[in-house]
C-alpha cells in the first residue's frame, strides 16, 4: 500500500513550510558556490599574467553573455521547465570555472566569462518564477517575511562564501575554483533529490511563449529612455571599481583580501538598509541624487588616500552603490507600471542598458592602456556625474505625465 503523502494532500502550513524552505534552499546553495570567486576574479586573472587593461575586456564578455542569455531565458523556462533551466544555469557556470581552471590565458578567460554570463542570465528570476507557480497551483501564498529574510540570508552567504574563497586563494590560486565547480556540479542533484523527497514537481507555461523579446513601446517612451541611460550610467560607472578593487587595494597597496572584501559586502548591505530608511523621508529622485553624490565623491577621493581611509572610502562607495541600485528598482516599478507586458518591458530595459555597460567596459580597457589605475577612479566619477542631469530629466517627464 502506498503511504506516501503528496504535497497536494498536505495541510496549508506544511505546504507553506516546504515552499519557503525550497525557495531559500535553491537560492542560498547556488549563491554560495557561485560567489566563492566573487572577490578574486580580477586578481586571479592578474596573477595569471593578464594585463590590467585586458581585464576590462575579459569582464565585458560576461555582460555579453548576460545580454545573449537574458532574452531567451524566460522563454526556455516557460517551454522546458523552471528547474531544468535552473540546473543548466549551474552547470554552465561550473563549465566556465572548469575552463578558467584548465586554460589560463586571455582567450579562455573571455570564453569562461561569456558562459558565466549566460549562466547568470538563465538563473535570473527563475527560482522566484518557480515558487510563484507552485503557490498558484497549490492555492497558497508564501509568507512575505521570507522575501526579506532571503535578502539578508543571501548577503550573509555572499560575505561567508567570498571570505572562504579569499582564504582558499591564499593557500592555492585554484582551490576556490575547485570548490565552486564541485558545488555547482552537484546543485542539479540537490534540486532533483529535494524535489523527489518532497514530492514536488517542475513547472512551465501552459502554452509556449512566442519569442517577442523586445517591446517597441519601451523605446518610444521618453521616461524609459532616460531610465535605460540612468541604469547604464550608474552601473557602468561602478564597473571599473567592482572589477579592479582587488588589484588596486590588494596587489598594489598590499591590504588583506578578506578584509577589503568584507568591507565591500558590508557596504552593500548597509546601502540597502540606508535606502530603506531614507525612502520613507525623501522622494525617490531626491534620494537617488544623494546616493549618486556619495558614489561620485567617494570614487574621486579614493586615489588620494593609500591608507585604511581609502578602504573606508571604498566601503562608502559600496553604500552609495547599494542604495542607488535599490532606488533604481523603485524607479523601474514606477515607470513599468505604464506598460501592459511588464516582464517584456523589463527585459528590453535590461537589454539596452547592458549594451551601454559593455561599451563602457571596452572604453575602460582602452583608457587603461594610457593612464594608471589611480586615474581611472576619476574617469569613473566623471561617468557617474552624467547621471545627475538624467535624474532631473526623468523627474521632469514623470511630473508632466502625472499632471
Amino acid at each position: 500500500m502506498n503511504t506516501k503523502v503528496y504535497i497536494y494532500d498536505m495541510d496549508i502550513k506544511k505546504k507553506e513550510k516546504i515552499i519557503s524552505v525550497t525557495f531559500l534552499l535553491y537560492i542560498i546553495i547556488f549563491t554560495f558556490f557561485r560567489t566563492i570567486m566573487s572577490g578574486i576574479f580580477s586578481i586571479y586573472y592578474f596573477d595569471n599574467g593578464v594585463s590590467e587593461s585586458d581585464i576590462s575586456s575579459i569582464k565585458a564578455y560576461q555582460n555579453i553573455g548576460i545580454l545573449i542569455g537574458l532574452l531567451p531565458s524566460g522563454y526556455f523556462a516557460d517551454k522546458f521547465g523552471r528547474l531544468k533551466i535552473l540546473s543548466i544555469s549551474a552547470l554552465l557556470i561550473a563549465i566556465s570555472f572548469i575552463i578558467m581552471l584548465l586554460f589560463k590565458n586571455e582567450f579562455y578567460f573571455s570564453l569562461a566569462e561569456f558562459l558565466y554570463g549566460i549562466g547568470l542570465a538563465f538563473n535570473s528570476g527563475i527560482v522566484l518564477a518557480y515558487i510563484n507557480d507552485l503557490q498558484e497551483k497549490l492555492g497558497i501564498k508564501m509568507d512575505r517575511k521570507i522575501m526579506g529574510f532571503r535578502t539578508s540570508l543571501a548577503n550573509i552567504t555572499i560575505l561567508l562564501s567570498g571570505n572562504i574563497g579569499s582564504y582558499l586563494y591564499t593557500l592555492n590560486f585554484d582551490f576556490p575554483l575547485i570548490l565552486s565547480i564541485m558545488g555547482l556540479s552537484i546543485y542539479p542533484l540537490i534540486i532533483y533529490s529535494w524535489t523527489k523527497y518532497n514530492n514536488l514537481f517542475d513547472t512551465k507555461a501552459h502554452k509556449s511563449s512566442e519569442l517577442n523579446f523586445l517591446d517597441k513601446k519601451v523605446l518610444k517612451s521618453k521616461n524609459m529612455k532616460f531610465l535605460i541611460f540612468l541604469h547604464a550610467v550608474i552601473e557602468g560607472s561602478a564597473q571599473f571599481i567592482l572589477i579592479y578593487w582587488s588589484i588596486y587595494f590588494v596587489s598594489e597597496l598590499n591590504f588583506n583580501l578578506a578584509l577589503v572584501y568584507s568591507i565591500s559586502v558590508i557596504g552593500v548591505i548597509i546601502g540597502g538598509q540606508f535606502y530603506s530608511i531614507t525612502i520613507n523621508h525623501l522622494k525617490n529622485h531626491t534620494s537617488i541624487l544623494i546616493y549618486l553624490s556619495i558614489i561620485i565623491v567617494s570614487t574621486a577621493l579614493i586615489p588620494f588616500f593609500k591608507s585604511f581611509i581609502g578602504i573606508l572610502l571604498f566601503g562608502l562607495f559600496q553604500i552609495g552603490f547599494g542604495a542607488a541600485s535599490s532606488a533604481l528598482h523603485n524607479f523601474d516599478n514606477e515607470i513599468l507600471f505604464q506598460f501592459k507586458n511588464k516582464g517584456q518591458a523589463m527585459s528590453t530595459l535590461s537589454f539596452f542598458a547592458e549594451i551601454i555597460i559593455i561599451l563602457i567596459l571596452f572604453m575602460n580597457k582602452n583608457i587603461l592602456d594610457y593612464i594608471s589605475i589611480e586615474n581611472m577612479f576619476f574617469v569613473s566619477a566623471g561617468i557617474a556625474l552624467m547621471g545627475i542631469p538624467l535624474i532631473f530629466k526623468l523627474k521632469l517627464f514623470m511630473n508632466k505625465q502625472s499632471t
Side-chain angles (χ1 to χ4, degrees):
M1 185 177 178
N2 187 5
T3 58
K4 209 177 247 188
V5 178
Y6 288 91
I7 193 166
Y8 292 109
D9 304 319
M10 295 178 183
D11 61 52
I12 291 177
K13 287 188 176 180
K14 283 186 177 179
K15 289 179 183 178
E16 289 177 348
K17 184 178 179 181
I18 289 176
I19 287 179
S20 297
V21 173
T22 300
F23 179 60
L24 295 175
L25 183 73
Y26 288 174
I27 286 179
I28 298 308
I29 293 177
F30 177 81
T31 300
F32 179 84
F33 289 109
R34 180 184 70 80
T35 57
I36 287 171
M37 285 291 295
S38 60
I40 53 180
F41 272 120
S42 297
I43 201 168
Y44 180 79
Y45 298 146
F46 186 69
D47 287 339
N48 279 286
V50 178
S51 69
E52 293 174 351
S53 63
D54 286 335
I55 291 173
S56 272
S57 60
I58 288 173
K59 295 300 291 185
Y61 283 98
Q62 180 187 132
N63 294 78
I64 294 172
I66 293 172
L67 192 68
I68 291 175
L70 185 67
L71 297 180
S73 60
Y75 169 78
F76 290 143
D78 283 347
K79 185 172 183 179
F80 301 112
R82 320 282 187 204
L83 296 184
K84 292 182 181 67
I85 300 304
L86 195 61
S87 297
I88 290 172
S89 72
L91 293 175
L92 279 171
I93 294 176
I95 291 169
S96 75
F97 287 162
I98 291 171
I99 293 171
M100 288 183 194
L101 182 67
L102 298 179
F103 307 103
K104 298 178 180 181
N105 61 53
E106 185 181 344
F107 172 79
Y108 285 108
F109 287 154
S110 299
L111 176 61
E113 286 282 3
F114 176 72
L115 291 175
Y116 181 84
I118 294 176
L120 279 183
F122 273 31
N123 185 271
S124 178
I126 293 297
V127 175
L128 187 57
Y130 174 66
I131 295 300
N132 283 339
D133 281 347
L134 283 183
Q135 291 178 105
E136 183 181 347
K137 293 188 179 188
L138 297 173
I140 60 172
K141 283 189 176 182
M142 187 171 60
D143 191 340
R144 288 183 178 180
K145 293 179 181 177
I146 295 297
M147 294 298 292
F149 182 63
R150 182 279 304 260
T151 302
S152 300
L153 193 57
N155 285 327
I156 293 170
T157 301
I158 292 169
L159 184 62
L160 176 64
S161 64
N163 274 289
I164 290 173
S166 298
Y167 171 72
L168 291 175
Y169 192 76
T170 62
L171 302 178
N172 185 289
F173 289 173
D174 295 331
F175 281 177
L177 279 172
I178 293 170
L179 180 58
S180 293
I181 291 166
M182 291 170 59
L184 290 166
S185 297
I186 66 171
Y187 183 65
L189 181 61
I190 293 172
I191 291 176
Y192 175 80
S193 301
W194 179 261
T195 303
K196 192 93 171 170
Y197 177 75
N198 290 287
N199 299 303
L200 296 170
F201 45 85
D202 200 355
T203 64
K204 52 188 176 182
H206 297 296
K207 295 181 180 180
S208 296
S209 305
E210 296 181 5
L211 289 170
N212 295 325
F213 295 140
L214 298 178
D215 190 341
K216 294 180 180 178
K217 292 181 181 177
V218 168
L219 302 179
K220 294 179 181 179
S221 166
K222 288 186 177 180
N223 279 349
M224 189 61 84
K225 287 177 184 176
F226 287 125
L227 187 59
I228 287 171
F229 281 104
L230 189 58
H231 265 275
V233 164
I234 292 178
E235 294 170 18
S237 67
Q239 290 303 308
F240 163 75
I241 301 177
L242 297 178
I243 292 171
Y244 286 94
W245 67 262
S246 60
I247 294 174
Y248 180 71
F249 289 111
V250 179
S251 294
E252 293 195 1
L253 300 184
N254 297 314
F255 284 102
N256 180 269
L257 176 61
L259 171 67
V260 184
Y261 177 80
S262 297
I263 289 175
S264 170
V265 177
I266 291 170
V268 173
I269 295 171
I270 294 173
Q273 294 302 312
F274 181 44
Y275 169 77
S276 299
I277 295 169
T278 54
I279 195 60
N280 295 324
H281 306 285
L282 300 171
K283 292 184 178 179
N284 200 46
H285 66 273
T286 304
S287 65
I288 202 169
L289 275 172
I290 293 172
Y291 311 144
L292 190 57
S293 298
I294 292 173
I295 291 173
I296 294 165
V297 172
S298 59
T299 302
L301 287 177
I302 286 174
F304 295 106
F305 297 93
K306 294 181 172 57
S307 61
F308 188 69
I309 294 175
I311 297 178
L312 293 179
L313 285 168
F314 173 53
L316 183 62
F317 159 81
Q318 289 288 54
I319 291 173
F321 183 66
S325 297
S326 298
L328 276 176
H329 290 311
N330 198 6
F331 258 138
D332 293 343
N333 290 332
E334 288 182 29
I335 293 177
L336 287 172
F337 186 76
Q338 64 184 283
F339 295 94
K340 184 178 181 181
N341 299 320
K342 293 176 177 58
Q344 191 179 25
M346 190 65 206
S347 294
T348 305
L349 184 157
S350 301
F351 181 81
F352 285 100
E354 282 293 336
I355 290 175
I356 300 172
I357 292 169
I358 289 167
L359 293 175
I360 290 173
L361 283 167
F362 281 116
M363 180 193 75
N364 287 346
K365 179 256 187 296
N366 290 323
I367 295 175
L368 265 169
D369 286 332
Y370 299 98
I371 68 174
S372 66
I373 282 186
E374 286 185 3
N375 290 327
M376 277 299 300
F377 284 99
F378 302 122
V379 174
S380 293
I383 295 173
L385 272 170
M386 296 168 60
I388 292 178
L390 288 171
I391 294 169
F392 284 110
K393 286 283 187 182
L394 196 54
K395 176 194 173 185
L396 177 65
F397 277 100
M398 288 179 72
N399 287 344
K400 281 183 178 179
Q401 287 192 349
S402 61
T403 55

